[in-house]
């Protein structure tokens, strides 16, 4: 009992943050701030899903917005044309994105990492061009309009506050599920692949299988975020899923740091807030993202919070905390990075 | 279909393809030597185009003066990118340099937007008239002087590049560095300088392509490098990433296929072909069109 108490105390900062985030929209009367918070939520899920690949497995995906887009279009189509209820459509969007992820990952992950990087880029471009030109299915550059607002088992979500709590719930679900994933065999296998692929293979990790699983999983999370985006903005167009969107995600990881769960969250939050604060440079927000990419890589390569593990302790699941190796751990040989 | 139109389309396709080939050669030059991918190449091309635009507009309406100034400007830009993205990060993982080049490409697009504005600009016709804009007729097929200039410059540059790489001492040193930069370093090659030279040459090819396309279509806009750069990049992948002839052939194929896809009514999807080719090549023949048996391993990956 005291053990549980102690571990709860150790988690107090996280619990406090969750409590503050849960109560925040009740205090804020400005709708605009809540909208910004919702976008931060969407990007937290996206950054975390990309982090699964770039941070944990050490693969570099530079076309992640493709899966975000697939999720958004799939969800819109499933609700509007197949008539599925929102929760099923959201799940379906994730699954569709995951299937596409499998199709990309399966053939390219046999090869060395750079090929997968190029394939993700090519896939992002192909998806954008298909979305823009397949008039009969995607309505081309005009996009799909009037996407219905979500209703979960008859409970309609219409106000910004309700939207906020939905994304809040999704973000919490993402963080907790990723934390669980990363502290089981799957997560440790991924980290071992990042640290030393040869050694991982030698100790019995089926590296290709785990890489494909990680890729599909990342695509699934991105698809979920896309589904939420479609039903929140109620409008999807190809422009929202151009490679620049992928680059923004990369900038978030570069800024916040990758390989743990805190970095992408911080990166997403800061990089969404910066252009909102400096409204006068709204038009040149990409300038900020580009600058952050260059400066962070040159000055602090691992990002603000990168290079270590911020363990979230969940006494309700774990008997004892298992350590996750991160780069620079004293048990690992110093590599030249 | 009329055989003459077919031929004219073929010439159009070759013109388009030769520009892709030039850009792809730049990619191949850079990847071949540094074993690193750059994503700022399309933006180097865009800057080259704008430099040419300003030279023709402000200085003198001469195509070749524009080419010369653009060459110098993009060579300098290439060296700057090399220093920023690769020189300082020589020991870092491949991903780090890649991210820096992505950042630089975003920065360059936005800087161009700040300087020249986001709208499309064109050269006034009064200036264009001073340059040769005629066309000749060979057996009923019309070829414009401009097309011939584009083709001529491209072929000339490819020949120069071939001689440089295969026949000169500098070329030998570049090839040695490309093969094994550590061994080359041990043999007394100033590897850092060679990386810079290779990057500058690659960027110059990109800059020339920018001037050629800019004047050919007479359209200049800040995002003109995005799609072109990515297409040329896929051409370079199709060609095998390290093979210079492969890059040329792949560029030409993509240009011709694109032009004919417009002719045969698939104009909406013409941009798709290069990326489809790239994915297909990655799936079935990752060594590229003429690729060797061994997989190309990116350094530090």
């Amino acid at each position: 009992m005291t053990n549980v108490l102690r571990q709860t105390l150790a988690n107090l900062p996280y619990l406090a943050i969750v409590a503050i985030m849960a109560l925040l929209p009740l205090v804020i009367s400005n709708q605009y701030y809540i909208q910004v918070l919702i976008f931060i939520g969407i990007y937290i899920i996206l950054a975390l899903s990309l982090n699964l690949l770039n941070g944990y497995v050490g693969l570099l995906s530079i076309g992640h917005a493709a899966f975000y887009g697939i999720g958004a279009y799939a969800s819109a189509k499933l609700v509007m044309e197949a008539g599925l209820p929102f929760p099923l459509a959201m799940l379906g969007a994730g699954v569709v994105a995951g299937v596409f992820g499998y199709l990309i990952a399966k053939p390219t992950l046999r090869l060395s990492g750079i090929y997968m990087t190029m394939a993700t880029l090519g896939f992002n471009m192909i998806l954008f061009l298909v979305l823009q030109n397949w008039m009969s299915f995607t309505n081309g550059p005009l996009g799909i309009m009037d996407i219905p607002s979500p209703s979960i088992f008859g409970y309609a979500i219409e106000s910004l506050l309700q939207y906020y709590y939905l994304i809040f719930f999704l973000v919490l679900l993402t963080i907790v599920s990723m934390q669980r994933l990363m502290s089981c065999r799957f997560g440790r296998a991924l980290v071992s692949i990042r640290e030393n692929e040869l050694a991982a293979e030698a100790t019995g990790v089926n590296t290709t299988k785990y890489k494909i699983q990680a890729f599909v999983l990342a695509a699934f999370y991105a698809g979920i975020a896309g589904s939420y985006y479609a039903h929140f903005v109620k409008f999807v167009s190809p422009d929202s899923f151009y490679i620049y969107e992928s680059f923004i995600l990369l900038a978030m990881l570069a800024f916040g740091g990758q390989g743990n769960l805190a970095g992408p969250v911080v990166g997403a939050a800061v990089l969404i807030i910066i252009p909102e604060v400096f409204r006068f440079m709204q038009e040149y927000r990409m300038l900020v993202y580009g600058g952050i990419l260059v400066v962070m890589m040159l000055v602090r390569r691992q990002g603000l919070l990168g290079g270590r593990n911020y363990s979230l302790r969940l006494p309700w699941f774990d008997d004892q905390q298992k350590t996750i190796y991160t780069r620079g751990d004293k048990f690992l040989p110093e590599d030249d990075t | 279909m009329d055989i003459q139109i077919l031929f004219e389309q073929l010439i159009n396709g070759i013109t388009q393809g030769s520009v892709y080939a030039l850009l792809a050669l730049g990619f191949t030059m850079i990847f071949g030597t540094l074993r690193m991918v750059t994503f700022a190449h399309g933006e180097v091309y865009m800057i080259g185009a704008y430099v040419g635009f300003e030279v023709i507009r402000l200085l003198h309406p001469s195509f070749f003066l524009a080419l010369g100034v653009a060459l110098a400007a993009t060579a300098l830009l290439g060296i700057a990118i090399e220093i920023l993205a690769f020189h300082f990060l020589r020991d870092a993982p491949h991903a780090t340099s890649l991210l820096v080049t992505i950042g630089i490409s975003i920065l360059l697009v936005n800087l161009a937007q700040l300087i020249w504005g986001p709208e499309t600009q064109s050269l006034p016709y009064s200036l264009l008239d001073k340059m040769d804009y005629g066309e000749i007729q060979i057996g009923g097929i019309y070829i414009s002087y401009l097309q011939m200039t584009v083709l001529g410059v491209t072929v000339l540059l490819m020949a120069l590049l071939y001689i440089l790489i295969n026949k000169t001492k500098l070329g030998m040193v570049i090839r040695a560095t490309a093969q094994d930069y550590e061994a080359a370093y041990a043999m007394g090659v100033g590897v850092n300088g060679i990386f810079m030279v290779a990057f500058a040459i690659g960027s110059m090819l990109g800059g020339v392509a920018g001037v050629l396309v800019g004047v050919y279509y007479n359209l200049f806009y800040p995002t003109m490098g995005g799609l072109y750069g990515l297409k040329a990049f896929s051409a370079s992948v199709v060609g095998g990433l390290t093979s210079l002839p492969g890059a040329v052939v792949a560029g030409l194929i993509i240009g011709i296929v694109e032009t004919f896809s417009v002719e045969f009514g698939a104009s909406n999807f013409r941009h798709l072909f290069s990326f489809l080719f790239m994915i297909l090549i990655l799936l079935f023949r990752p060594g590229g069109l003429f690729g060797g048996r061994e997989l190309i391993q990116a350094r530090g990956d």
Side-chain angles (χ1 to χ4, degrees):
Chain A
M1 190 62 214
T2 53
N3 204 21
V4 171
L5 193 69
R6 198 168 62 239
Q7 287 182 327
T8 313
L9 278 176
N11 274 326
L12 214 55
Y14 302 112
L15 293 175
I17 291 171
V18 170
I20 289 171
M21 291 320 290
L23 296 175
L24 201 58
L26 301 177
V27 186
I28 301 173
S29 52
N30 193 334
Q31 298 282 297
Y32 163 71
Y33 289 144
I34 296 178
Q35 194 169 339
V36 172
L37 284 175
I38 290 173
F39 270 104
I40 290 175
I42 296 176
Y43 278 93
I44 284 177
I45 299 180
L46 285 171
L48 280 171
S49 79
L50 185 62
N51 176 43
L52 201 62
L53 289 176
N54 291 14
Y56 282 110
V57 202
L59 298 167
L60 185 69
S61 161
I62 48 177
H64 208 58
F67 303 110
Y68 179 38
I70 289 173
Y73 271 86
S75 186
K77 282 280 165 190
L78 283 175
V79 166
M80 292 170 78
E81 277 171 26
L84 283 181
F86 171 72
L88 269 182
M90 183 174 253
L91 212 59
V95 171
V96 171
V99 168
F100 274 100
Y102 181 79
L103 292 179
I104 288 295
K106 176 77 179 164
T108 52
L109 280 175
R110 294 175 294 138
L111 309 165
S112 69
I114 188 72
Y115 283 99
M116 194 219 70
T117 304
M118 291 185 266
T120 54
L121 176 84
F123 180 62
N124 201 163
M125 282 311 293
I126 289 177
L127 182 93
F128 172 76
L129 291 169
V130 167
L131 289 182
Q132 194 151 39
N133 292 308
W134 193 4
M135 289 304 286
S136 57
F137 188 71
T138 65
N139 202 14
L142 300 175
I144 301 175
M145 274 167 277
D146 298 328
I147 298 168
S149 48
S151 93
I152 299 167
F153 306 119
Y155 178 75
I157 289 175
E158 267 150 8
S159 75
L160 269 181
L161 206 62
Q162 287 165 321
Y163 270 112
Y164 175 83
Y165 282 111
L166 179 61
I167 193 74
F168 181 67
F169 171 72
L170 287 174
V171 168
L172 274 188
L173 204 64
T174 307
I175 292 178
V176 171
S177 63
M178 284 208 179
Q179 200 279 335
R180 296 311 302 149
L181 270 172
M182 284 309 134
S183 49
C184 74
R185 182 183 148 82
F186 176 74
R188 281 173 288 144
L190 295 190
V191 175
S192 77
I193 292 171
R194 179 190 70 197
E195 289 304 328
N196 192 333
E197 192 164 345
L198 205 63
E201 197 130 28
T203 45
V205 176
N206 185 346
T207 53
T208 311
K209 191 184 94 183
Y210 276 106
K211 280 187 199 167
I212 293 172
Q213 286 177 346
F215 201 99
V216 171
L217 210 59
F220 175 82
Y221 279 115
I224 297 284
S227 163
Y228 180 89
Y229 172 84
H231 291 276
F232 174 60
V233 182
K234 298 190 170 60
F235 165 69
V236 284
S237 75
D239 288 336
S240 318
F241 312 110
Y242 193 57
I243 45 170
Y244 274 160
E245 204 65 20
S246 309
F247 292 170
I248 292 175
L249 295 179
L250 286 173
M252 283 169 181
L253 288 193
F255 182 78
Q258 42 194 1
N260 59 52
L261 293 176
V265 174
V266 173
V270 172
L271 260 60
I272 291 296
I273 290 174
I274 285 179
E276 299 294 339
V277 173
F278 302 102
R279 296 291 293 183
F280 58 91
M281 50 194 290
Q282 186 74 5
E283 214 173 311
Y284 297 100
R285 67 185 191 131
M286 285 311 289
L287 209 60
V288 177
Y289 295 139
I292 280 174
L293 262 178
V294 174
V295 171
M296 285 310 283
M297 283 298 129
L298 289 171
V299 178
R300 198 178 152 80
R301 210 177 295 157
Q302 70 273 43
L304 217 53
L305 301 175
R308 52 177 296 202
N309 183 39
Y310 299 86
S311 53
L312 176 67
R313 292 185 188 83
L314 298 173
W316 309 279
F317 298 104
D318 284 335
D319 295 320
Q320 61 186 80
Q321 178 63 31
K322 298 180 196 74
T323 52
I324 297 174
Y325 290 121
T326 54
R327 212 175 265 285
D329 196 288
K330 64 182 178 206
F331 297 109
L332 292 167
E334 283 290 319
D335 55 8
D336 54 359
T337 53
Chain B
M1 185 191 296
D2 199 349
I3 193 82
Q4 285 176 359
I5 295 176
L6 209 65
F7 261 108
E8 276 178 18
Q9 285 297 341
L10 187 66
I11 303 255
N12 284 340
I14 291 175
T15 314
Q16 180 80 14
S18 64
V19 174
Y20 290 145
L22 267 187
L23 269 171
L25 274 176
F27 269 117
T28 308
M29 191 72 204
I30 291 166
F31 185 87
T33 325
L34 282 90
R35 289 286 185 276
M36 298 255 192
V37 175
T38 166
F39 278 110
H41 201 56
E43 278 59 43
V44 171
Y45 152 93
M46 178 267 295
I47 296 286
Y50 268 114
V51 169
F53 168 73
E54 288 296 341
V55 167
I56 293 176
R57 195 169 64 107
L58 298 174
L59 283 178
H60 183 66
S62 152
F63 194 62
F64 293 98
L65 182 71
L67 273 184
V69 177
L71 270 176
T74 47
L76 284 179
L77 183 63
I79 290 175
I81 294 174
E82 204 277 339
I83 291 176
L84 206 58
F86 298 98
H87 185 80
F88 289 146
L89 297 168
R90 202 71 85 203
D91 302 322
H94 188 194
T96 317
S97 294
L98 210 103
L99 289 178
V100 175
T101 58
I102 289 177
I104 291 174
S105 93
I106 298 172
L107 286 180
L108 285 176
V109 169
N110 282 279
L111 282 178
Q113 261 175 28
L114 278 175
I115 299 172
W116 289 287
E119 64 276 1
T120 304
Q121 301 202 357
S122 307
L123 288 165
Y125 282 103
S126 58
L127 284 177
L128 289 178
D129 285 342
K130 290 181 189 160
M131 307 193 316
D132 280 335
Y133 255 80
E135 53 185 12
I136 54 167
Q137 193 181 3
I138 304 171
I141 303 162
Y142 287 96
I143 307 171
S144 69
Y145 285 133
L146 202 58
Q147 251 172 354
M148 281 169 44
T149 319
V150 171
L151 277 174
V153 170
T154 316
V155 172
L156 182 74
L157 277 176
M158 284 172 189
L160 280 179
L161 189 68
Y162 179 81
I163 293 169
L164 175 79
I165 295 292
N166 290 308
K167 305 282 182 211
T168 65
K169 184 141 190 284
L170 179 67
M172 195 173 73
V173 175
I174 290 179
R175 274 182 293 143
T177 312
Q179 232 168 41
D180 188 339
Y181 77 101
E182 277 169 336
Y185 186 63
M187 295 294 125
V189 174
V191 176
N192 280 326
I194 293 302
F195 282 150
M196 258 176 228
V197 169
F199 215 103
I201 293 174
S203 300
M204 279 155 81
L205 293 171
V208 172
V211 178
L212 291 177
V213 171
V215 176
Y216 185 54
Y217 293 112
N218 197 13
L219 296 172
F220 301 85
Y221 48 98
T223 51
M224 66 190 285
L227 202 55
Y228 255 87
L230 292 172
K231 277 184 193 169
F233 175 67
S234 36
S236 154
V237 173
V238 171
L241 265 179
T242 51
S243 149
L244 294 174
V248 175
V249 172
L252 286 176
I253 291 177
I254 288 175
I256 293 170
V257 168
E258 267 184 17
T259 315
F260 275 98
S261 72
V262 177
E263 193 65 26
F264 291 111
S267 60
N268 277 347
F269 290 97
R270 68 178 181 280
H271 299 306
L272 216 62
F273 290 107
S274 53
F275 303 107
L276 278 180
F277 283 157
M278 173 166 88
I279 297 264
L280 287 178
I281 275 281
L282 286 175
L283 296 190
F284 297 112
R285 207 178 152 78
L289 280 179
F290 310 131
R293 305 249 91 206
E294 85 284 1
L295 288 184
I296 310 135
Q297 193 77 35
R299 184 161 65 86
D301 200 41

